[in-house]
Amino acid sequence: MTVVTGRAERAELEGGARRLILDHAARLLRSNGYHQTSLREIAEAVGIRKASLYYHFRSKEEIVEAVVNDGVRLVHDAVLAALGAAGKATARERLKAAIAAHLAALHGHSDYTCASIKVFSFGENPTPESVRSIRRAYDDLWRALIDELASAGVLTPGIAPEHLRLFLLGAMNGSVDWYREGRFDIAQLAGELATLVATKDMIRTS
Amino acid sequence: MTVVTGRAERAELEGGARRLILDHAARLLRSNGYHQTSLREIAEAVGIRKASLYYHFRSKEEIVEAVVNDGVRLVHDAVLAALGAAGKATARERLKAAIAAHLAALHGHSDYTCASIKVFSFGENPTPESVRSIRRAYDDLWRALIDELASAGVLTPGIAPEHLRLFLLGAMNGSVDWYREGRFDIAQLAGELATLVATKDMIRTS
DNA sequence: GCTAGCCTACCGATCGGCAGGTAGGCAACA
DNA sequence: TGTTGCCTACCTGCCGATCGGTAGGCTAGC
């Protein structure tokens, strides 16, 4: 049992300064990218001085890393939840649900997810290990899903599964450059992408 | 209005300093992005001092703009040439040729094309009109090609042509993040993408 | 002598980060 | 209860580095 550190934990649980900083950082990173987002901007948005950020984080990289990782995790969790909810549907409908969840997470409420795409390859040479690790886990989720589709026999034949995954993620993540709220319908986009990827022969799994 | 352009034109024709600067700028922009490419780096690569760049260009933005526009133009011309060469093939093979040309231009010899993708949305708020104009022309090329495919009846039904174009360009341009020479075959990737986009009534001969 | 093409030297702005100070709350103890 | 001391969470103020850009001088070739 922790006895003395109650304060920091309380701040964290209350959605305290740390979360507040990350919220503003995510918003700024999303719209301005890594190098055009300064610690002074973040601090000003939060309402504190720049140096105070160093009480909560060790460096700018640590802030960005936290935002990016949270972003990927949010998408990951959203897609996992969607797949769970669509557990008994056809493989193709599970694909559509996953795509829709990915797109919704990208363009929905969260600045984190959008920032994580935009900032993913920092300017830095070595991408932090934590980022690569979390990203890899999300890649594996899609590998598993595509394997599932392949097993169900609904994939367009003659396409390497790994290539298909790269194409699909590219098409989805590219939407950050053109998607605008109200001008596109995520469910429709997801259905169209699923139609492209999977055959139109529906094979019921239940 | 037409002032001292004779000098620049001559240098251009001679393949002189201006082209040399753009070559190095393109290479650096490709690997480091906009904000991490400094005029000092470019000048050092060329072998001159930073201030000397200002004899050939008015600003950093002008350099980047030239690189980006050249990049888009190169892809545009490559795809146009490929479509010309494949004039009499089936619509689906023309699509494959266009995709292959786009990918080859992205990952082939030219740093310009890759830089144009990576840097396209500068940090700047207003993307220069020349960039948007050239980019729009390239978009129109793909709109026309997809219209052609639609007329030929080879498109997967139920997908808005504009969505299809955005997906396709996203999948292709996303390859800058994962494509590595020798680990992927552009012709194969192009064939797979064409298979995804167009109807599957053609059986691949492996 | 003119000028193209480059140079040195400098500018103000801004970057991430560090040193060190301080207000105020909480806890322990006399 | 009053005092003391620690800790959190912020602050002011500064640092060296680097940014894009400017001013003005030098030199070689026509």
Side-chain angles (χ1 to χ4, degrees):
Chain A
M1 286 298 184
T2 52
V3 183
V4 191
T5 60
R7 194 170 328 216
E9 286 174 354
R10 193 184 58 193
E12 183 77 13
L13 290 175
E14 285 172 2
R18 185 184 168 93
R19 178 53 56 190
L20 197 63
I21 291 169
L22 289 180
D23 283 347
H24 283 98
R27 181 176 47 81
L28 291 166
L29 285 168
R30 172 183 187 166
S31 55
N32 301 122
Y34 180 80
H35 296 289
Q36 284 304 94
T37 300
S38 70
L39 295 181
R40 284 167 177 83
E41 278 181 286
I42 297 174
E44 189 182 2
V46 175
I48 61 177
R49 301 301 149 197
K50 179 202 54 166
S52 305
L53 295 175
Y54 283 86
Y55 177 77
H56 302 280
F57 299 92
R58 279 193 294 270
S59 67
K60 179 184 183 181
E61 278 192 26
E62 192 177 286
I63 296 178
V64 177
E65 195 175 321
V67 168
V68 170
N69 286 344
D70 281 359
V72 178
R73 265 191 291 256
L74 281 170
V75 184
H76 193 137
D77 293 346
V79 172
L80 267 187
L83 284 176
K88 302 224 167 186
T90 66
R92 187 170 167 279
E93 281 180 358
R94 282 169 55 79
L95 171 66
K96 178 181 171 183
I99 293 172
H102 182 104
L103 291 177
L106 267 189
H107 304 295
H109 41 77
S110 175
D111 291 322
Y112 290 80
T113 55
C114 230
S116 74
I117 299 292
K118 197 155 190 171
V119 185
F120 175 60
S121 76
F122 296 10
E124 284 65 350
N125 302 340
T127 302
E129 174 55 30
S130 71
V131 175
R132 281 193 284 126
S133 164
I134 292 178
R135 176 83 181 206
R136 206 181 311 126
Y138 187 56
D139 285 343
D140 287 340
L141 186 155
W142 280 95
R143 286 195 183 92
L145 179 57
I146 287 179
D147 279 351
E148 176 190 322
L149 292 167
S151 298
V154 299
L155 284 190
T156 304
I159 298 180
E162 186 66 7
H163 296 177
L164 185 64
R165 185 181 68 84
L166 292 168
F167 292 151
L168 183 56
L169 283 172
M172 291 193 295
N173 291 341
S175 68
V176 299
D177 287 334
W178 49 262
Y179 179 86
R180 297 292 177 275
E181 182 99 24
R183 299 185 48 181
F184 295 92
D185 178 63
I186 285 182
Q188 182 188 351
L189 293 173
E192 292 173 335
L193 262 177
T195 299
L196 280 183
V197 169
T199 58
K200 277 141 283 187
D201 306 325
M202 290 200 176
I203 300 177
R204 299 279 173 184
T205 58
S206 62
Chain B
M1 227 44 190
T2 55
V3 216
V4 267
T5 56
R7 185 164 56 243
E9 285 171 359
R10 193 183 60 189
E12 183 80 11
L13 291 175
E14 289 172 358
R18 186 185 166 91
R19 179 50 58 190
L20 196 63
I21 291 168
L22 289 180
D23 282 346
H24 284 98
R27 181 175 49 80
L28 291 166
L29 285 168
R30 172 183 188 166
S31 55
N32 300 123
Y34 179 80
H35 295 288
Q36 284 302 95
T37 300
S38 71
L39 294 181
R40 285 168 177 82
E41 278 181 286
I42 297 174
E44 189 183 4
V46 174
I48 62 177
R49 302 299 150 198
K50 179 202 54 165
S52 305
L53 295 174
Y54 283 84
Y55 177 77
H56 302 279
F57 298 92
R58 278 194 296 270
S59 66
K60 179 185 184 181
E61 278 192 28
E62 191 177 288
I63 296 177
V64 177
E65 194 175 323
V67 168
V68 170
N69 287 343
D70 281 359
V72 178
R73 265 191 291 258
L74 280 169
V75 184
H76 193 136
D77 294 345
V79 173
L80 267 187
L83 284 176
K88 303 221 168 188
T90 66
R92 188 170 166 281
E93 280 179 359
R94 282 168 55 78
L95 171 66
K96 177 182 172 182
I99 293 173
H102 182 105
L103 291 177
L106 267 188
H107 304 295
H109 41 76
S110 175
D111 291 321
Y112 290 80
T113 55
C114 228
S116 74
I117 299 292
K118 197 156 190 170
V119 185
F120 176 61
S121 74
F122 297 9
E124 285 65 350
N125 301 341
T127 302
E129 175 55 31
S130 72
V131 175
R132 282 193 284 127
S133 163
I134 292 179
R135 175 83 180 207
R136 206 181 311 125
Y138 187 56
D139 285 343
D140 287 341
L141 187 155
W142 279 96
R143 287 197 183 90
L145 179 56
I146 287 178
D147 279 351
E148 176 189 324
L149 291 167
S151 299
V154 298
L155 284 190
T156 305
I159 298 180
E162 185 66 8
H163 296 178
L164 185 64
R165 184 183 69 84
L166 292 167
F167 292 151
L168 183 56
L169 283 172
M172 291 193 295
N173 291 340
S175 68
V176 299
D177 287 334
W178 48 263
Y179 179 85
R180 298 290 179 275
E181 182 98 23
R183 298 184 49 179
F184 294 93
D185 178 64
I186 285 181
Q188 182 188 350
L189 292 173
E192 291 173 335
L193 262 177
T195 299
L196 279 183
V197 168
T199 55
K200 293 103 188 171
D201 53 3
M202 300 185 81
I203 298 176
R204 268 164 41 94
T205 58
S206 58

